[in-house]
Amino acid sequence: MLENSKASSSFSVNDIEKAKQFYKDTLGLKVSENNEMKMLNLNINDGNRIMIYPKPDHQPASFTVLNFPVSDVEKTVDELTAKGVKFEQYPQFGTNAKGIVNDPKMGPKIAWFKDPAGNVLSVLEAQ
């Protein structure tokens, strides 16, 4: 029924301008604005869009809302850290000093960070 649908996702933030700056300038994503609805669209390489909308009573998700597959997690973490991104420490998952989990039993190499609204994002090694 939905196998040919091009699915997309959305999540909220408490400050759309801070989100725009973070996703565009820090992460280097293509961001378009829907001024009429005061929303952002992240334009991902495969043509899918992720909608970010403002919500005054926003509560950050307690789970990962967006994963970015990358070819080299270590290099990406270093580059994002240089841009001011702080990676999360999750001792229960065995994160190293950089915030990277590299345990094959846990899945691909992964590191989590938050956007300015506190939503959890990750970079993970593409399989």
Side-chain angles (χ1 to χ4, degrees):
M1 174 194 257
L2 298 176
E3 65 272 5
N4 294 319
S5 175
K6 213 172 198 186
S8 64
S9 183
S10 64
F11 56 91
S12 69
V13 297
N14 56 354
D15 186 324
I16 205 78
E17 283 304 314
K18 280 185 183 176
K20 178 183 171 187
Q21 180 182 7
F22 178 77
Y23 285 97
K24 183 178 179 185
D25 299 337
T26 304
L27 299 187
L29 298 174
K30 293 178 184 170
V31 177
S32 59
E33 296 179 68
N34 181 330
N35 292 326
E36 183 179 309
M37 302 200 53
K38 295 184 172 74
M39 292 190 261
L40 300 176
N41 285 313
L42 303 181
N43 301 297
I44 305 301
N45 276 343
D46 62 8
N48 284 353
R49 281 189 268 176
I50 298 164
M51 184 176 61
I52 300 175
Y53 58 93
K55 187 175 177 196
D57 60 346
H58 165 76
Q59 294 294 314
S62 61
F63 51 86
T64 308
V65 298
L66 192 55
N67 296 294
F68 293 98
V70 297
S71 60
D72 187 334
V73 168
E74 295 273 348
K75 179 181 176 189
T76 303
V77 166
D78 289 344
E79 290 171 353
L80 290 173
T81 298
K83 290 185 163 208
V85 173
K86 182 182 179 292
F87 284 83
E88 298 297 305
Q89 289 293 322
Y90 295 119
Q92 69 272 31
F93 298 134
T95 50
N96 65 18
K98 291 182 178 183
I100 300 169
V101 174
N102 188 15
D103 180 350
K105 292 179 270 176
M106 295 279 299
K109 191 184 288 189
I110 187 168
W112 293 274
F113 59 102
K114 293 181 179 176
D115 73 3
N119 294 309
V120 180
L121 314 172
S122 82
V123 290
L124 66 127
E125 207 131 295
Q127 300 272 320

